[in-house]
Amino acid sequence: MNDKSPAKKGHGALGFALDFGPLLMFFIANHFGKSESDPARGPLIGTMAFMIAITIALIISKWKLGKISPMMWISAILVLGFGGIALMLGEPRYIQIKPTIIYLLFATLLLGGWLRGKSLLKYVLEYAFEGVDEAGWLKLSRNWGLFFLVMAGINEIIRQPQLFSFDTWLTMKVWGMTALSVLFTFSQIPMLMRHGLKVAEVSEEIPPQG
């Protein structure tokens, strides 16, 4: 048992880094790529950095973890697809649609599974939340599905150019939504404890970010 725990936590930390790293590169490249004469320059450079970073994340995931999760594949395909459109058209707003699609997809999968009495999150996070019973997994899937619906709605609001700038959207996406996801993860622990989770078994795992 003790031999497995460090590996799990290490993989959890690496998984979070692979999810968050490309977003962070997006943020940094956008910041340093800004140009007063060309407002689209920073966002487009950030988008290019995002595409490169997520490609590298795929390679590292395969190399270090021996696999690439379906969620990472989906995220990478959308980043490369919408990012490519944004670069070809010189219009960075296309990359802003990607989180909404990711959140809606996750919400559909989780809530669809919940309605059929199956927890898809159990297959992804079972080792991170050992001891949780089936009722707990179903509640967790339902709660995360609803949370992803809310996140999709938030992204649709903050990506509207008449309401927020690209920089504001990106800052809220990288820091605000990530913080919300972490807080929501910890808010579920009391419920999971009532369904068999022991605090000592809580891992660093959180569902991936869009």
Side-chain angles (χ1 to χ4, degrees):
M1 292 292 292
N2 292 337
D3 292 338
K4 292 181 180 180
S5 295
K8 288 177 181 177
K9 290 185 178 180
H11 283 183
L14 178 59
F16 180 78
L18 292 175
D19 284 328
F20 187 70
L23 266 179
L24 185 60
M25 289 303 300
F26 190 5
F27 181 84
I28 293 173
N30 170 73
H31 177 75
F32 287 102
K34 291 179 183 177
S35 170
E36 293 184 3
S37 60
D38 183 7
R41 184 174 184 272
L44 290 175
I45 289 177
T47 297
M48 188 180 300
F50 195 13
M51 295 168 68
I52 294 172
I54 203 163
T55 301
I56 294 173
L58 289 175
I59 295 171
I60 293 176
S61 181
K62 182 64 176 177
W63 174 37
K64 289 291 188 180
L65 303 181
K67 64 178 181 178
I68 299 173
S69 71
M71 292 181 180
M72 180 176 282
W73 270 122
I74 293 169
S75 183
I77 289 170
L78 291 175
V79 167
L80 296 175
F82 283 103
I85 294 173
L87 293 178
M88 284 190 294
L89 299 180
E91 180 50 74
R93 65 188 177 89
Y94 285 99
I95 198 67
Q96 295 175 281
I97 302 172
K98 176 257 180 185
T100 298
I101 296 176
I102 285 284
Y103 294 139
L104 288 178
L105 177 60
F106 289 167
T108 300
L109 291 173
L110 292 176
L111 292 176
W114 169 67
L115 289 172
R116 291 183 289 111
K118 295 183 178 181
S119 172
L120 298 182
L121 271 185
K122 181 178 180 180
Y123 299 103
V124 180
L125 301 176
E126 185 171 15
Y127 75 81
F129 299 124
E130 296 177 8
V132 176
D133 59 27
E134 288 300 319
W137 280 113
L138 283 173
K139 288 181 181 179
L140 188 65
S141 286
R142 177 201 62 195
N143 294 350
W144 268 105
L146 294 174
F147 179 74
F148 280 132
L149 281 180
V150 172
M151 294 282 273
I154 292 174
N155 190 67
E156 281 302 290
I157 293 172
I158 65 176
R159 78 178 183 86
Q160 300 303 318
Q162 64 270 30
L163 298 177
F164 299 97
S165 68
F166 186 92
D167 284 353
T168 301
W169 168 81
L170 185 56
T171 299
M172 294 175 72
K173 174 70 185 77
V174 174
W175 305 113
M177 290 190 170
T178 299
L180 281 176
S181 296
V182 172
L183 289 173
F184 186 78
T185 297
F186 284 104
S187 76
Q188 299 304 294
I189 291 177
M191 180 275 291
L192 292 174
M193 290 176 65
R194 292 194 296 272
H195 288 275
L197 177 69
K198 295 180 176 60
V199 176
E201 293 171 343
V202 176
S203 174
E204 300 172 353
E205 293 284 344
I206 64 171
Q209 302 306 296

